Amino acid sequence: MNTKDNIPVINLEAFGKSYLNGKSIERSPSSIYDLDQHLQISKRCKYQPHKGAHRLDFYLVFLVTGGEGIHTFGLKEYYITKNMLCFADPDVITSWNSSAEEQLGFLCAFSHEFFTIGLEDKFFLNEMPFFHMDGHSVLQLTDEQMRYYRPVFELMHEEYQNRNPYSEHVLRSLLHSILDKAYSQYRLNQCQRKLGNHSGLRLLKSFTELYLDDFKPLKDDREINLKKVGDYADQLGVSQNHLNDTMKAVTGKSAGQLIKDQLLKQATMYLRQSSKSVSEIAYLLGYDDPSYFTRYYKKQTGVAPSELKKKISVL
């Protein structure tokens, strides 16, 4: 059970009541087995105008066709309005505020298990740039691009409302097409970067998966216990020097710095959105000495944790 200082976690069962102003997700009269536990789709209207900091235990993608508001995903704050495709995942703390009575469009909430059935790459969602704390959680779409996405969401909603024994496969294919299209659009909009050879990229991917896995206890408001770089190197079957050299060649940063960067991102997200004290956040991130955490955070960011919390509280 969450205390008032914990970041509440919203599950799929409570999704409709939490996001749609108390309304349940529309469902067909005869539900197909347990699909609702892994996928829910709704038209977006009567969206709750305010929602404090929370996490999801599922992935969320939504298309905005009307309305407006301020939505925070992890470390970034966005002004959300029509012609936007937005993403959230279980790793980020999110919140929003809106003065508009109606938020129009489509919401699709889905589990990792539902999306990855049949995929060889079970880490596909983790690799997408939309599902990261400091990633690209919002895509601004042109009218032409909306003419692609809107019919797909409409098809998904119609299929979801009129399910049959084959609907699961249809819905998964439509969801895959949305994320594949969004990813291709993102790649086309970015300057192509050559990040080194394939072996270096594979090591970066494996190392990232390892250390990010050690941040997962934060989802349950539990303290993390990060390993030393040498321990990660041992798990990967390489030397610590090789791991550091490869990370520098691929990203420009050492393995240790990549982990520290993630710690700072998590700290900043909690300081901005959590009601926890600076000391509680420090302990949660594995610091035995909150004063050391305060000094380190200020040295790295130029702002003391208490100053950041004070600044956010008066906005």
Side-chain angles (χ1 to χ4, degrees), residues 217-218 221-225 270 276 279-287:
L218 292 175
D221 272 322
R222 293 186 289 113
E223 179 182 339
I224 61 174
N225 183 21
Y270 270 94
K276 292 181 182 295
S279 293
E280 288 173 323
I281 294 171
Y283 290 129
L284 195 63
L285 295 177
Y287 288 89

Side-chain angles (χ1 to χ4, degrees), residues 2 6-11 15 18-19 47-48 50-58 60 71-74 88-96 219 269 273-274:
N2 292 316
N6 288 343
I7 301 295
V9 178
I10 298 174
N11 57 34
F15 173 52
S18 296
Y19 269 61
Y47 206 48
Q48 283 198 15
H50 306 288
K51 190 68 179 176
H54 63 281
R55 292 184 190 271
L56 307 173
D57 75 346
F58 51 87
L60 180 67
H71 208 139
T72 300
F73 300 97
D89 74 283
D91 287 326
V92 303
I93 299 174
T94 183
S95 62
W96 78 77
K219 297 178 183 179
M269 182 166 64
Q273 300 206 54
S274 171

Side-chain angles (χ1 to χ4, degrees), residues 242-253:
H242 178 71
L243 179 60
N244 275 318
D245 290 344
T246 303
M247 293 307 99
K248 285 182 180 179
V250 174
T251 70
K253 297 180 179 180

Side-chain angles (χ1 to χ4, degrees), residues 212-227:
L212 287 183
D213 194 56
D214 287 340
F215 282 90
K216 287 184 177 179
L218 292 175
K219 297 178 183 179
D220 300 320
D221 272 322
R222 293 186 289 113
E223 179 182 339
I224 61 174
N225 183 21
L226 298 178
K227 304 179 184 70

